[in-house]
Amino acid sequence: LELMPYLYSCAVVTSRTGIPMMRSMALEFEDDYNCRYLDKQYMQGDSLLAAPIFNEEGMARYYLPEGIWVNYLTGEAARGGVWREEHHGYLSVPLWVRENSIIATGMSFENADYDFRGNMEFKVFALGTKAKAVVYQGDKKAAEIELMKAEGRISGHVAGGAGCRVRLVNCVVSEAAGVSMEVQGQDTLLTVLEDDAAFECRL
């Protein structure tokens, strides 16, 4: 249920564009020859790469396309353009987030029928230039976030997100204006205080 805001919003986009939520690697990375024949991994939306385990030994062999990728479960950052082979147990699976991606997640829930507004955490992965995410509730926008990084600063705008949080994964900032800030290990957690908020962080 944690990924429900992201997955639901992907479903809305699919209903409007016809582009599937679960899409082949070749569809998302047309110019990467290595992606043309991959049939044991896929993109879930345009940001998440999943590589299910198909053997009893728990061995996974998969390909990360060019760019920076962050493991959703562990926070490990890796450069793409390489094949990876690794062992996984019952509680892990290769699940990677593409650079310049924002994954909307639920902060607390008891079932899949909760209100997204004020109950979300936007997780920002490997922000290098700019990123954007839209969250839908029903057929309407519940919240929208835009971020831009340049010259040692991150500027952002959140609409419809009072009470939500923005987690900069593997990114520690020195100060922030327009939001409250808390450093948690290698992450920075920003809390949006207003329904329509602009903010800026200094790295």
Side-chain angles (χ1 to χ4, degrees), residues 9 11 14 22 38 59-60 69 81 100 159 174:
S9 299
T14 292
M22 185 177 174
L38 297 176
M59 294 302 299
W69 295 82
N100 294 312
S174 58

Side-chain angles (χ1 to χ4, degrees), residues 53-60 86-90:
I53 308 298
F54 292 100
N55 56 77
E56 294 180 358
E57 294 76 24
M59 294 302 299
E86 56 202 26
H87 179 268
H88 287 266
Y90 288 109

Side-chain angles (χ1 to χ4, degrees), residues 84-134:
R84 293 174 64 98
E85 188 167 353
E86 56 202 26
H87 179 268
H88 287 266
Y90 288 109
L91 298 179
S92 67
V93 66
L95 185 63
W96 292 83
V97 187
R98 196 177 186 174
E99 63 185 343
N100 294 312
S101 289
I102 303 174
I103 304 293
T105 65
M107 292 194 298
S108 61
F109 45 79
E110 294 181 359
N111 53 62
D113 197 28
Y114 65 91
D115 187 358
F116 293 161
R117 288 174 58 90
N119 192 31
M120 283 184 300
E121 181 171 286
F122 291 106
K123 295 183 178 180
V124 183
F125 295 87
L127 181 64
T129 52
K130 58 183 178 180
K132 179 179 179 179
V134 178

Side-chain angles (χ1 to χ4, degrees), residues 66-195:
E66 290 286 347
I68 304 299
W69 295 82
V70 180
N71 189 300
Y72 183 83
L73 301 176
T74 68
E76 173 195 355
R79 187 168 295 278
V82 297
W83 287 87
R84 293 174 64 98
E85 188 167 353
E86 56 202 26
H87 179 268
H88 287 266
Y90 288 109
L91 298 179
S92 67
V93 66
L95 185 63
W96 292 83
V97 187
R98 196 177 186 174
E99 63 185 343
N100 294 312
S101 289
I102 303 174
I103 304 293
T105 65
M107 292 194 298
S108 61
F109 45 79
E110 294 181 359
N111 53 62
D113 197 28
Y114 65 91
D115 187 358
F116 293 161
R117 288 174 58 90
N119 192 31
M120 283 184 300
E121 181 171 286
F122 291 106
K123 295 183 178 180
V124 183
F125 295 87
L127 181 64
T129 52
K130 58 183 178 180
K132 179 179 179 179
V134 178
V135 177
Y136 291 91
Q137 183 99 47
D139 61 349
K140 295 181 172 57
K141 288 182 182 180
E144 185 173 0
I145 180 172
E146 292 186 69
L147 298 175
M148 182 172 293
K149 181 180 179 181
E151 299 179 350
R153 294 177 182 271
I154 296 174
S155 56
H157 179 259
V158 178
C164 77
R165 303 187 303 195
V166 179
R167 180 177 296 275
L168 305 175
V169 177
N170 294 338
C171 178
V172 176
V173 304
S174 58
E175 59 180 308
V179 289
S180 66
M181 183 190 90
E182 179 184 353
V183 175
Q184 296 183 342
Q186 296 298 312
D187 300 348
T188 299
L189 186 64
L190 309 174
T191 301
V192 178
L193 305 176
E194 301 179 2
D195 199 51

